[in-house]
Amino acid sequence: MSTLATPPELINDLNALVGSAYILTNQIKMQPYSKGFRFGSGSAVAVIRPGSLLEIWQALQICVNADVAIIMQAANTGLTGGSTPDGDNYDRPIIIINTMRIDQIQLIENAHQIIGLPGSTLFGLEDVLSPYGREPHSVIGSSCIGASIVGGVCNNSGGALVQRGPAYTELSLFAQINNDGKLELVNNLDIDLGATPEEILTNLQQQKYQASDINHSEKQASDNEYHQRVRQIDANTPSRFNNDGRRLHESSGCAGKLAVFAVRIDTYAIAPKQQVFYVGTNDAQVLAKMRRHILSTFENLPVSGEYLHRDCYEVSKKYGKDTFIVIDKLGSKYIPKLWSLKRTVDLITDRLPFLPKKMSDRVMQYLSYLWPNHLPKRMEEYSSKYTHHWIIEMNNDGVEEARSYLQQFFEIAEGSYFECTPEESEKASLHRFVAGGAIGRYHIMNGQELGEMMTVDVALRRNDEVWFEELPAELEELIADKFYYGHLFCHVMHQNYVLKKGVDAKQLKQQILASFDVRGAEYPAEHNVGHEYAAKEDLKAFYKDLDPTNTFNPGIGKTSKLKHWSSGTE
């Protein structure tokens, strides 16, 4: 626990604002908010859960007046610890403001755009848009189980969809602290909501605005250039990555250096015709050749192209079964409730010395053994036959274009493919999307025999033809298991390593990252720096410009944790 003194009136004022039911000061009860989904943890003096936008603003005023550090947090599902404290070496007490009670989604422009408040989720957005025949920027993925809309924008989350690029908007409502330490509200939603912060925030939450109040400027509500960028297969840079200056703008990519109240983003029409093609091969270069041809010659871009190595297929089959079954049988809406229950169980059982850590994972894993094989027969046959699996989704006219190409291509190329039935399509995609959690479960269940687990989120150059990693022998011998999956059309790979006992994970990771530097790759690609990666100079400069006093989320990207970015901890 932090030994920094906390003014008693600060806690009293926050308690009076949100009510005793929505403020936590006990370190054990705060753990679900102060410990990351997979990475990072630290101490805070309080967690508050405001119930309105105005309460967030008033809480910010109290915190700024008390000169404390502030961490804005939504679902806390990030994979790099970016929405929690990191250790205890801060120069100010930390208050965590969790926004998940404020989950409203407002439809505007005939559902072609939405306004998402800070606790709104992608799951919720899918449900809201479905009756209108539209869908959000991102669909369910391994890294967004219950993820928030605002969190995706703040982290430039990439997602699986080839046509849409990273989550991005230039239309948002946020608070920031200026050079003089004054809290300011900035309304760049392009909606007339009033003059004062109180008017703006109240009118927005109560939807007290008319269609005539909505302005139509040149500001973008999505990355509307990505479909061109991803086709540039001879470019010497990656297609998307978190340090990309072209997509760092105010809330977009801010990584919690602003307090974001709302984002205005585009939605997308659900295609009337869709088809998934399941590709298998034992030659990684077969997929490289396909990628270049499809991106450069197809009139219709793929919807997605999810890669899965056979080892990752198998670990997902065994250790992701329970998550797969819950989503398949009960729907994705149940997952946030399951994770909440899981965290509560772990909070209790981790305090009992006679029980192993992560008890909920162990119980769920043993229960999963009672369920029969959940994967389609044809996928299982491909797992036995092929090392590399690629799940390609096309829509509308792209379906016939892909069908014709694949028929001709595999007449001579090594490997094969099949067209998925609707059930196979859903299960193939879901199997890929539980991979991230399954690898973590594998490590929990086998941790006594293994060393640390390490992940790398990397964006390869668009012209990089050798996409599948081959490590030097001296590094291979340090690793017990490797699990690869990713968004192959975008050249974004998620590479997971389980090390042998006694191996220094930090040293090995630096060696692997250094090899990516030589290749001109960028990292992280879409999970943002969090507390796991060091922010590069351009990204650090962006953070400093947004938050000159370093009050919001100090230390993000291994930057200074001190007020006004003082040196000493960078």
Side-chain angles (χ1 to χ4, degrees), residues 162-183:
V162 180
Q163 302 167 1
R164 300 177 190 174
Y168 179 75
T169 187
E170 295 168 1
L171 298 158
S172 63
L173 173 65
F174 57 88
Q176 67 180 150
I177 299 171
N178 63 24
N179 281 299
D180 298 325
K182 302 298 184 183
L183 185 68

Side-chain angles (χ1 to χ4, degrees), residues 121-131 134 136 138-140 332:
T121 66
L122 292 171
F123 287 153
L125 184 54
E126 285 188 72
D127 285 345
V128 168
L129 290 176
S130 180
R134 302 190 71 81
S138 298
V139 294
I140 182 174
S332 58

